[in-house]
């Protein structure tokens, strides 16, 4: 299994809603990532988890709250979002243990629209 | 991480080789060159990476100049399914990264394969 699975594929939410994005992988990877991608722009790193601990937070607003409950699962909790947060949210994972660097495995993303 | 420069767009005829250049004149000795691509509405996909030797896999070939200041990704027989944005990324390998990859995407090259 070399897949990173993201659910839901599409999400529409109001500015007062609370929702969560889910990401799952069963490749034994111990690093997991959230990226945000606006239309026609490159992906931007938001968070990195390594061994279920938050290692990088790229100054992301607190209305985005990541959670890594176990080594296979990564969540992104959303609350009080703004319309400008509408974007494609991508999850990725990677495996440590190779001396020549790692490759990221990406999911297909969740297309989020905030109304 | 070293900065990369790529042309914003390129066209390639179907069946011909696609040669995508990348300049990374500030690359350090311990930094690798990685290539990813992103097909529309999907997550980025790892293609290939290398340090200083040329590399080939089932997807592509990577040619790195002797001074390592530039590289070329070669898709030997481009198909319509190769139409995508191609990202060249330069960064350190696993042993210097703390076990995870802080991958920063530049603007990439939009490759259009023409029938």
């Amino acid at each position: 299994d070399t897949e990173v699975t993201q659910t839901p594929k599409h999400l529409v939410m109001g500015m007062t809603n609370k929702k969560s994005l889910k990401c799952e992988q069963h490749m034994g990877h111990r690093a997991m990532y959230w990226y945000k991608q606006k239309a026609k722009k490159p992906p931007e790193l938001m968070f990195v988890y390594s061994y279920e601990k938050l290692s990088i937070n790229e100054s992301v607003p607190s209305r985005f709250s990541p959670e890594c409950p176990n080594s296979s699962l990564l969540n992104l909790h959303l609350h009080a979002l703004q319309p400008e947060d509408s974007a494609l949210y991508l999850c990725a994972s990677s495996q440590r243990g190779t001396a020549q660097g790692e490759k990221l495995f990406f999911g297909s993303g969740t297309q989020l629209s905030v109304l | 991480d070293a900065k990369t420069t790529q042309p914003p767009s390129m066209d390639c005829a179907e069946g011909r080789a696609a040669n995508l250049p990348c300049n990374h004149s500030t690359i350090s000795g311990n930094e690798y060159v990685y290539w990813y691509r992103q097909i529309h509405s999907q997550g980025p996909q790892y293609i290939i990476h290398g340090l200083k030797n040329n590399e080939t896999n089932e997807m592509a070939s990577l040619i790195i100049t002797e001074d390592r200041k530039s590289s070329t990704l070669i898709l030997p027989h481009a198909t319509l399914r190769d139409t995508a944005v191609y990202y060249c990324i330069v960064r350190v390998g696993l042993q210097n990264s703390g076990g995870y990859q802080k991958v920063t995407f530049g603007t990439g090259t939009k490759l259009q394969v023409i029938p």
Side-chain angles (χ1 to χ4, degrees):
Chain A
D1 183 0
T2 58
E3 279 195 359
V4 175
T5 304
Q6 290 189 244
T7 54
K9 293 196 182 305
H10 302 274
L11 179 63
V12 179
M13 61 184 291
M15 289 189 284
T16 59
N17 292 157
K18 287 185 180 180
K19 296 286 184 183
S20 296
L21 309 184
K22 179 179 173 181
C23 174
E24 202 163 3
Q25 57 87 14
H26 297 287
M27 295 179 279
H29 291 177
R30 300 309 295 270
M32 297 186 76
Y33 311 74
W34 280 115
Y35 281 82
K36 173 182 176 179
Q37 185 173 26
K38 302 281 281 184
K40 301 188 187 301
K41 297 291 187 183
E44 296 178 354
L45 183 65
M46 300 175 70
F47 302 104
V48 180
Y49 274 83
S50 180
Y51 285 82
E52 296 91 68
K53 287 187 169 38
L54 184 64
S55 298
I56 293 179
N57 176 342
E58 292 287 85
S59 302
V60 178
S62 60
R63 58 186 183 269
F64 295 92
S65 176
E67 178 196 21
C68 189
N70 60 58
S71 60
S72 301
L73 191 57
L74 185 66
N75 298 318
L76 186 63
H77 303 298
L78 314 173
H79 173 56
L81 294 194
Q82 304 296 311
E84 58 265 29
D85 296 321
S86 297
L88 180 67
Y89 288 84
L90 293 160
C91 174
S93 69
S94 66
Q95 178 182 24
R96 66 177 302 170
T98 64
Q100 294 184 338
E102 301 172 326
K103 54 185 179 181
L104 297 183
F105 291 79
F106 281 86
S108 295
T110 294
Q111 186 64 56
L112 174 68
S113 296
V114 182
L115 303 179
Chain B
D1 296 340
K3 182 178 168 57
T4 61
T5 304
Q6 298 178 253
S9 64
M10 292 181 63
D11 290 338
C12 177
E14 189 178 17
R16 305 296 295 266
N19 297 294
L20 293 94
C22 180
N23 284 321
H24 32 79
S25 58
T26 60
I27 191 169
S28 300
N30 63 348
E31 289 182 313
Y32 290 76
V33 180
Y34 293 80
W35 283 85
Y36 285 79
R37 73 179 182 184
Q38 187 173 22
I39 296 169
H40 183 62
S41 299
Q42 296 183 22
Q45 176 190 25
Y46 165 87
I47 301 173
I48 199 167
H49 77 277
L51 183 61
K52 53 185 177 182
N53 297 323
N54 297 337
E55 302 286 346
T56 295
N57 63 21
E58 65 279 3
M59 291 183 69
S61 294
L62 173 60
I63 308 297
I64 303 174
T65 58
E66 193 168 341
D67 63 7
R68 303 209 319 124
K69 292 185 177 181
S70 65
S71 60
T72 301
L73 178 74
I74 301 172
L75 308 178
H77 306 285
T79 71
L80 298 179
R81 287 175 294 182
D82 293 321
T83 292
V85 178
Y86 287 77
Y87 296 102
C88 170
I89 297 158
V90 172
R91 63 162 285 101
V92 297
L94 169 65
Q95 62 269 35
N96 294 319
S97 70
Y100 52 83
Q101 290 266 326
K102 185 178 176 182
V103 176
T104 302
F105 290 86
T107 51
T109 296
K110 182 172 173 54
L111 175 69
Q112 182 73 47
V113 179
I114 302 168

